[in-house]
Amino acid sequence: MKILFTHRYFWPDSPPYAAMLIALARAFAAAGHDVRVFAGMPSYRQGDANPVAAAETLDGIAVRRCRVLAGEKRHIVLRLLNVLLYCGGLFWHILRTRPDVVTASTFPPVIAGWTASLAARLAGARFVYHMQDVHPEVSAYSGGGMGRGLAYRLFRALDSQTMKRASAIVVLSDDMANTVRARGLKIVPVTVINNFSLTARNQAEQAPPPELVKPQGRRRAIFAGNLGRFQNLPALAEGIALLFADHPDLELLFLGDGEALDGLKARWGDHPQVRFGPFLPFAQAKVLIRDADAGLVSLAPDIYNVSFPSKVQTYVELGLPILALVEPHSALAREITTRGLGEVPASSAPQDIAAALSRLLTTPDRAEALRAYTAETATLEAAFARWQTCLHALPARR
């Protein structure tokens, strides 16, 4: 089977999906498939732009990268131009190479999937829509520009066209599957395959900055990843802070950057039990995560319907119990509580968050539950088996 995996970012770029995609591509190549990748040149962060070839063969995978403009994070016009450059290159690459199967994720939101699905239809290929988020609904919940008025209706219509063209739709949770089905479209059945852990098994650990290493005698709750606007981090911090007076050994570490960082620093930057660390390569960040005592997951109200935090799988494989600030009736909350992976606050009230973290830090060792869950759902092997089943069940090529 000739499989073309596509995404704006691919190794050696640093987003989690870039690392996950190369692992999945390698697994399919090792299974005997003709695997190709189309992506943009590395551009996610300053320092990521190590010279790489526009075309190369990597572990038996034919990789093609299109040029994009530097500095897009500083200007919306550059971001829009890069969307056009990437999606235009993606469209023609699919038509030129005519794969059997094309995959696309949800970045750039809506447009990447729409472009890939249209090109796949014209090339007679089967299209797999790998939805890391459900757009534009995620913008409606988080207050983004795609979630209002005409923009919302336009992007939802385009995304619905993508779903109708798909030979398979893959989401990360039952809640996301319910949101997709709620559109009322005549589409293929929705498959749930969660992301696997990105503990970079083939990458040697690197020592993190010494000032971020957990001091002896401290207990640490860590939030590692994007400090974004729909993580509900101010509420999370307020709840954890209620424990500081009675637990002087407890500290809260925010590791990463994002839109919420400035507000968090303004509120907590001078507190001796709250620390901030920059974005780190995963080879360094995993050391800090593994040495913590609680892994924090937090979502703004209703976001569980349209997204699933990938850090859950990473925390679990590194043996870290989870405190998840999410609606107790969500699939994520049920998974955490029924599998013994951690605690979920009864509400987003500070006292409920504090009570949940207190339970997490005083309950018996959860190591066995975390190991069992890792083996069943959080590894590449477990996810690959589900992906193989999904792709083998695709209908015949048009």
Side-chain angles (χ1 to χ4, degrees), residues 5 11 28 34 79 81 87 94 109 132 149 164 186 202 210 216 241 244 260-261 278 313 335 346:
F5 292 103
W11 186 90
F28 273 102
D34 179 358
R79 290 198 293 273
L81 287 174
C87 290
I94 293 171
Q132 300 291 294
K164 290 177 181 177
K186 292 182 179 180
N202 296 323
Q216 189 172 4
F244 285 158
L261 179 60
Q313 310 297 73
E335 191 98 326

Side-chain angles (χ1 to χ4, degrees), residues 30-42:
H33 296 280
D34 179 358
V35 178
R36 318 286 179 94
V37 170
F38 182 86
M41 295 292 283

Side-chain angles (χ1 to χ4, degrees), residues 52-53 107 173-174 185-186 194 263 293 305 318 328 335 366 370 390:
V52 296
F107 189 87
S173 70
D174 290 333
L185 305 173
K186 292 182 179 180
N194 208 334
D293 300 278
N305 289 300
L318 291 174
E335 191 98 326
R366 301 174 187 264
L370 293 166
C390 177

